[in-house]
Amino acid sequence: MSVQQAGKSKVAVKPLELDSVKEPPLNLYKPKEPYTATIVSVERLVGPKAPGETCHIVIDHGGNVPYWEGQSYGVIPPGENPKKPGSPNTVRLYSIASTRYGDSFDGRTASLCVRRAVYYDPETGKEDPSKKGICSNFLCDSKSGDKVQITGPAGKIMLLPEDDPNATHIMIATGTGVAPFRGYLRRMFMEDVSTFKFSGLAWLFLGVANTDSLLYDEEFTNYLQQYPDNFRYDKALSREQKNKNDGKMYVQDKIEEYSDEIFKLLDGGAHIYFCGLKGMMPGIQDTLKRVAEQRGESWDQKLSQLKKNKQWHVEVY
């Protein structure tokens, strides 16, 4: 199994030099000269009733493309760019779903959480293969031993601040946006990292369609049992749960449910992270604004303060 069980005792990791670097690695490989990595495994993450398919893809980079939790890899799918014949395909960015040590804890792999992008014709309701996502289908269809061109690592906005091991981290994900948070949580609760002994609170909100669509649920549930004082996990299942107005339960409805607590934590310096499809943000922002106003606060002022304090981290696509 590439999606490792979260064991009771923490797992030893190597090489320890990966934690002695002071600055995150950035853009070691560029689109013009990508790194050729190898697919280790591709595993379907979702059950039969999930709309669409999401895969966990482990890539062997041989230790040559190191990264930190919260960064992304670029993937260049094979073939030529349909918009620029003769040129390679453009880079697609994917948030990395593993810690810097990878799922095999040896610093040689990175994992991606990829939803296969398919297009349904609105008139016929049938799938149109000519419009399917080139890169997500390439990755989900790949087999162990296949080669994959990667770039990066990229991104600094979602790096996990580790200066205070007692900090609170509120993570809000929709679908594959859970990827960076899986990395954070493995670092906090699964791996034995000498430079980072987490003793704060990690609170994950995950929004998906239904129970079969949950991603890494077993891993997260394990942390809940092992670290009940340091981990909270709330799920919004839009096709199975109802919000207080009898509508579908989205992640912003869960945020509203716990809004008092969340605002108090933010006032106390908590970090808040958002990752997923960009369509998630307007609903969340509206909810936060409404809650702030009910509390007699200006959301615009609060948001600019959170950004100024580097407590607000958003990566949407």
Side-chain angles (χ1 to χ4, degrees):
M1 288 285 285
S2 60
V3 182
Q4 297 275 347
Q5 288 287 321
K8 253 296 182 209
S9 55
K10 292 200 169 182
V11 182
V13 291
K14 60 177 202 260
L16 298 177
E17 300 78 75
L18 289 179
D19 262 296
S20 58
V21 188
K22 294 284 174 270
E23 285 295 312
L26 278 173
N27 303 315
L28 304 175
Y29 288 88
K30 310 266 194 332
K32 284 199 170 21
E33 290 181 1
Y35 180 80
T36 303
T38 307
I39 300 284
V40 176
S41 59
V42 176
E43 183 184 339
R44 182 184 163 101
L45 283 175
V46 292
K49 295 192 178 116
E53 181 175 31
T54 302
C55 297
H56 182 76
I57 296 155
V58 181
I59 296 171
D60 183 345
H61 60 80
N64 297 308
V65 197
Y67 56 88
W68 283 7
E69 300 72 24
Q71 290 190 302
S72 300
Y73 268 175
V75 176
I76 304 174
E80 59 176 43
N81 187 337
K83 292 177 184 155
K84 281 193 195 162
S87 302
N89 273 306
T90 51
V91 173
R92 273 69 165 183
L93 284 178
Y94 292 94
S95 297
I96 298 171
S98 48
T99 73
R100 65 193 73 188
Y101 295 102
D103 288 0
S104 46
F105 309 107
D106 60 4
R108 296 181 64 84
T109 68
S111 302
L112 305 180
C113 177
V114 178
R115 179 164 173 165
R116 190 189 284 277
V118 286
Y119 177 82
Y120 292 95
D121 186 296
E123 284 179 12
T124 64
K126 289 197 165 57
E127 203 179 302
D128 180 349
S130 70
K131 293 186 177 169
K132 67 182 188 183
I134 294 171
C135 199
S136 63
N137 282 273
F138 159 67
L139 288 169
C140 290
D141 288 336
S142 58
K143 304 276 180 283
S144 176
D146 286 357
K147 297 298 177 198
V148 55
Q149 305 275 309
I150 59 173
T151 67
K156 284 172 108 168
I157 187 78
M158 295 293 280
L159 293 173
L160 181 65
E162 296 187 358
D163 47 335
D164 176 10
N166 202 32
T168 295
H169 303 273
I170 303 165
M171 300 161 270
I172 296 159
T174 55
T176 58
V178 77
F181 307 140
R182 178 182 183 256
Y184 296 177
L185 294 168
R186 286 173 81 94
R187 186 159 173 87
M188 291 167 173
F189 300 128
M190 189 186 283
E191 297 179 345
D192 186 9
V193 181
S194 58
T195 54
F196 183 53
K197 302 286 186 202
F198 183 66
S199 53
L201 172 67
W203 190 354
L204 174 64
F205 290 86
L206 175 58
V208 291
N210 55 17
T211 302
D212 268 19
S213 306
L214 285 166
L215 303 169
Y216 311 112
D217 185 55
E218 214 175 309
E219 226 168 271
F220 302 150
T221 305
N222 268 325
Y223 303 144
L224 213 46
Q225 290 160 355
Q226 291 165 39
Y227 301 97
D229 299 335
N230 305 92
F231 183 51
R232 292 175 67 170
Y233 177 32
D234 284 281
K235 302 172 248 201
L237 309 174
S238 59
R239 298 188 187 180
E240 289 177 10
Q241 299 169 324
K242 292 268 187 273
N243 64 19
K244 63 176 192 200
N245 304 318
D246 216 35
K248 288 182 172 184
M249 172 72 83
Y250 289 113
V251 79
Q252 59 263 34
D253 300 309
K254 276 282 167 206
I255 292 171
E256 187 164 13
E257 216 175 288
Y258 293 103
S259 55
D260 262 2
E261 225 177 324
I262 290 170
F263 270 66
K264 281 180 190 142
L265 289 167
L266 290 172
D267 289 343
H271 288 272
I272 190 162
Y273 311 81
F274 304 88
C275 190
L277 293 171
K278 60 175 173 280
M280 74 189 267
M281 288 312 288
I284 290 172
Q285 292 262 31
D286 290 347
T287 299
L288 292 169
K289 189 179 172 105
R290 190 169 65 250
V291 170
E293 282 163 3
Q294 286 162 359
R295 294 168 60 90
E297 297 180 54
S298 151
W299 174 244
D300 292 342
Q301 274 180 330
K302 192 169 194 73
L303 179 58
S304 68
Q305 195 58 49
L306 290 170
K307 287 178 176 173
K308 195 174 147 196
N309 296 346
K310 297 188 166 51
Q311 289 170 258
W312 181 265
H313 312 259
V314 180
E315 184 160 88
V316 290
Y317 38 85

